[in-house]
Amino acid sequence: NRQFWGFMWRRNALNSLVRLSPWRRRLCAAAELVRLNKRIADAGVCSRREADRLISEGLVSVEGLAPGQVTAGLKVGKQTEIRVQNKPLPHAAAPVVLAYNKPKHELVTTRDAHGRRTIFESLAAMNAPRGLKAVGRLDCSSEGVILLSTSGALARRLELPETGVPRTYRVRVHGNLTEEKLRALRTGTVVEGYKYAGMDVVVERNNRKKISWLQLTCFEGKNRMIRKICKTLHLDVTRLIRTGFGPIQINNKLREGVAMKVDVAALERQLQQYEALAAKRRMRKRYLGKVVRTKDDGYAPRDRRRETGTRGDDGRRRQRGADSAGEVGEGSLDRSSRFVKL
């Protein structure tokens, strides 16, 4: 017993020394370091690209460093004193998430070369916080809910298909909506070498060869995914409205052209539930789309069964029907041969 407790005491003392060692403290401090342009962007001063411009023009100074040592890739800590245009850089605030009901013909981009209106111009008129990043995109002709966050990590987590955030759409299509097409929407459709996963489909209105309204729910947001799938099924999408993104749904408070602040703590709890459900869907192999190869790409499916014969004295495999020393005559059947599953 004395030897055992002595060993435990020495092990605990060694672990304490490792935890308090200088190199361990340096590693822990290095884990909190971020790039200088990201630190400026997280503070809400400007975007990373604009921060790079300010750094290159010498308008950013860092405590204890000469002007020539300040670069965009410089790693700084949270407590490092930084000045931008002779003004102290504020500490990064808590992340903010906004839900915006995007009207039709607004672009999800910071600026447009053709002078078309963007969602950030509309948000700036509402005194929205700076440094917002869009969670995914919506086409110019699409409308509905889009989320924006000041935290790039949170925005990335929201848009990743692996997180499993459901996206709900109301779609108006023109064309003959048959049961076969509905089955293809529910089971999955191959478009340009990519098989999109099946969606939850609710038919709100079906006039067969005229106008139909569908409610589609999916867990991934590929570029123009719904429009491409409907075009493959010979259905013309004339209106597309995203009615929900996760727990955020269009309601009386979130009318067209209105932005609403989202509770980040409640959203984080909901994301954990979505990720748990996504893990279960991955176990059932019913989760996301995948890249497939077709005959148009020069791909021919391999035959899964191969006919083989017996082995001779030399160890070589003989084909069925081959004449070898009278064992298997021409046209005869070798009963020992069988199909081997590869």
Side-chain angles (χ1 to χ4, degrees):
N1 290 338
R2 184 178 300 177
Q3 292 179 352
F4 171 76
W5 290 112
F7 166 75
M8 293 295 293
W9 182 87
R10 287 192 298 271
R11 191 190 68 171
N12 294 337
L14 180 61
N15 291 340
S16 300
L17 290 175
V18 170
R19 282 196 297 268
L20 298 176
S21 60
W23 66 267
R24 183 64 178 267
R25 289 197 299 269
R26 286 196 297 268
L27 287 178
C28 294
E32 300 179 358
L33 297 180
V34 296
R35 291 170 62 94
L36 178 59
N37 56 358
K38 184 179 185 303
R39 169 78 183 278
I40 297 174
D42 291 343
V45 176
C46 58
S47 64
R48 290 195 190 186
R49 186 175 299 178
E50 185 68 16
D52 292 340
R53 185 187 66 81
L54 294 175
I55 294 170
S56 62
E57 293 178 359
L59 300 178
V60 179
S61 60
V62 180
E63 175 190 10
L65 293 180
Q69 297 176 323
V70 179
T71 60
L74 177 68
K75 296 292 186 67
V76 295
K78 294 182 179 180
Q79 305 300 327
T80 305
E81 293 185 6
I82 302 171
R83 300 182 69 88
V84 179
Q85 296 178 338
N86 293 327
K87 296 180 181 179
L89 182 70
H91 293 286
V96 177
V97 178
L98 292 182
Y100 178 60
N101 192 345
K102 171 187 155 338
K104 201 173 182 180
H105 302 309
E106 278 192 1
L107 299 179
V108 186
T109 182
T110 54
R111 61 181 64 89
D112 181 58
H114 302 285
R116 292 173 292 183
R117 188 173 181 82
T118 67
I119 64 170
F120 293 99
E121 294 175 0
S122 301
L123 291 170
M126 305 176 194
N127 296 324
R130 300 184 62 180
L132 287 171
K133 304 166 186 64
V135 180
R137 290 177 180 266
L138 282 176
D139 296 333
C140 179
S141 55
S142 302
E143 50 192 304
V145 179
I146 184 169
L147 297 186
L148 303 103
S149 174
T150 56
S151 171
L154 181 58
R156 180 61 175 165
R157 184 182 174 192
L158 283 166
E159 70 181 0
L160 276 178
E162 288 78 6
T163 309
V165 179
R167 301 154 171 85
T168 306
Y169 301 86
R170 287 190 73 231
V171 187
R172 184 177 66 189
V173 295
H174 284 210
N176 186 13
L177 185 62
T178 61
E179 292 297 330
E180 289 77 10
K181 295 179 181 179
L182 291 174
R183 190 181 304 111
L185 287 172
R186 293 187 175 103
T187 58
T189 310
V190 178
V191 181
E192 299 176 357
Y194 186 88
K195 183 175 182 180
Y196 293 96
M199 298 179 284
D200 297 334
V201 183
V202 176
V203 181
E204 297 181 355
R205 179 183 175 187
N206 186 4
N207 285 345
R208 292 294 177 182
K209 295 184 179 180
K210 296 183 181 180
I211 302 174
S212 302
W213 278 95
L214 303 174
Q215 179 178 311
L216 306 177
T217 303
C218 56
F219 299 95
E220 58 181 343
K222 297 292 184 180
N223 181 29
R224 300 178 63 86
M225 179 181 72
I226 293 179
R227 296 183 184 273
K228 289 179 180 179
I229 293 175
C230 291
K231 184 179 180 180
T232 303
L233 301 176
H234 304 287
L235 297 173
D236 185 20
V237 176
T238 57
R239 193 174 182 187
L240 194 149
I241 310 169
R242 184 193 279 171
T243 59
F245 192 100
I248 312 302
Q249 303 291 326
I250 290 180
N251 50 32
N252 295 331
K253 295 182 180 180
L254 192 61
R255 297 181 181 273
E256 182 177 308
V258 176
M260 182 179 67
K261 195 172 181 179
V262 179
D263 187 358
V264 179
L267 183 62
E268 288 278 358
R269 292 192 296 268
Q270 191 67 45
L271 284 179
Q272 294 178 3
Q273 297 179 13
Y274 288 147
E275 289 170 342
L277 293 175
K280 293 181 180 179
R281 284 194 295 271
R282 283 196 294 268
M283 294 291 292
R284 296 197 300 265
K285 298 182 180 180
R286 183 185 179 273
Y287 184 49
L288 299 176
K290 60 181 179 180
V291 178
V292 295
R293 292 185 294 178
T294 60
K295 294 182 180 179
D296 298 336
D297 302 328
Y299 169 73
R302 187 181 67 177
D303 189 5
R304 303 295 297 179
R305 297 171 67 88
R306 183 163 63 97
E307 185 178 0
T308 60
T310 58
R311 293 185 182 273
D313 297 336
D314 54 357
R316 296 182 178 180
R317 189 178 297 280
R318 296 168 180 166
Q319 301 296 328
R320 291 182 62 180
D323 189 7
S324 58
E327 295 179 2
V328 182
E330 183 178 357
S332 63
L333 178 64
D334 180 13
R335 299 184 182 275
S336 62
S337 62
R338 55 192 173 89
F339 288 96
V340 177
K341 192 171 184 179
L342 296 179

